[in-house]
Amino acid sequence: MGALKAVEEHFEKGEIAALSSASIGVINAFAFANGMVDRGIELWKNLMKGQKRTFITSILKGDYLQESIKKLSGQGKRIDSPFLFPLLYANGRKLKYADLSNEPPEDYQKFLQASVALPMTNKAVELHGEKLYDGALVDNIPVKPLENLDLDLIICFFFEDSDIIFEHEEFDSKIIKIAFTNDTVIRDSISFERERIERMLEQGYAVTKENLDYYFSGGKEDLDSIKEKIRIKNGEKKNRTHRITGDLVVRKFNKIMKHFIKSN
């Protein structure tokens, strides 16, 4: 949420044409899409009430997150632009990218709950006869659904090595990558303590603001300058590897499906 606070300050309403996220990031993105970033930040700050330490699996199963989703979805407005996230459809044993802009607001709560329903720890969320789970175990950086949209730039946040080429060079050349690769940051995203949450919010804001100030120093309309900076940043990386979503899904999907076979 700290990163999204920096984005909110940097861009005017309507300048963000589409959102794509995964797992708990879907909840954050929903708060952002509805102008409720400060609410989202408070959600995270209040996450540890009465606890000294907890883990992401406990958070995803806990009542606090589920109640927060209910409140956010109930107060959110209709999503009119692409809002994409991966879901596992257990009935048909396939991965699909849901788009809230194509769904009625009364279904938002179920979709958001499904986005954080880990197959190994949570029950499926049932909606319209389908059993839905979080699809992040198959695709945790869902940039692929954005490829066919007419977007000038993509800002991508992730907790992985930043030496990645997303899909292919042409598509990758318009992606601003903001990677949180520090071991402490990655650990803090799995195991939570009160002070760590504050640190994550602060670091997310600071790192994102620094990057946005760099890439957009010449203005948001100067796409040539921005893409040149992307090219320079990419050129600083060595041993860059392709991340092909189709290949990734094939590698991970069968493993996840074994769980469904056993549990359904």
Side-chain angles (χ1 to χ4, degrees), residues 64-81:
Y64 176 76
L65 179 61
Q66 297 302 319
E67 283 300 314
S68 296
I69 289 172
K70 184 177 180 180
K71 290 178 182 178
L72 283 174
S73 61
Q75 296 174 6
K77 301 175 183 177
R78 180 174 183 84
I79 304 293
D80 294 320
S81 56

Side-chain angles (χ1 to χ4, degrees), residues 1 4 8 19 25-41 43 72 79 83 112:
M1 286 308 305
L4 292 178
E8 183 181 63
L19 293 167
V26 178
I27 313 305
N28 294 340
F30 187 82
F32 174 84
N34 282 281
M36 296 190 288
V37 169
D38 289 336
R39 284 274 307 278
I41 289 173
L43 183 158
L72 283 174
I79 304 293
F83 187 108
L112 294 179

Side-chain angles (χ1 to χ4, degrees), residues 239-255:
N239 302 317
R240 299 177 71 216
T241 58
H242 275 86
R243 184 186 189 276
I244 311 297
T245 299
D247 294 345
L248 185 76
V249 168
V250 169
R251 288 199 304 271
K252 293 185 176 183
F253 196 69
N254 288 338
K255 184 177 179 181

Side-chain angles (χ1 to χ4, degrees), residues 139-141 143 164-167 241-245 248:
D139 185 6
N140 65 326
I141 314 176
V143 294
I164 296 172
I165 300 171
F166 287 105
E167 308 303 335
T241 58
H242 275 86
R243 184 186 189 276
I244 311 297
T245 299
L248 185 76

Side-chain angles (χ1 to χ4, degrees), residues 98-115:
D99 183 353
L100 282 191
S101 69
N102 293 330
E103 304 297 340
E106 57 266 28
D107 287 345
Y108 286 178
Q109 180 181 337
K110 290 285 189 180
F111 274 109
L112 294 179
Q113 288 173 330
S115 75

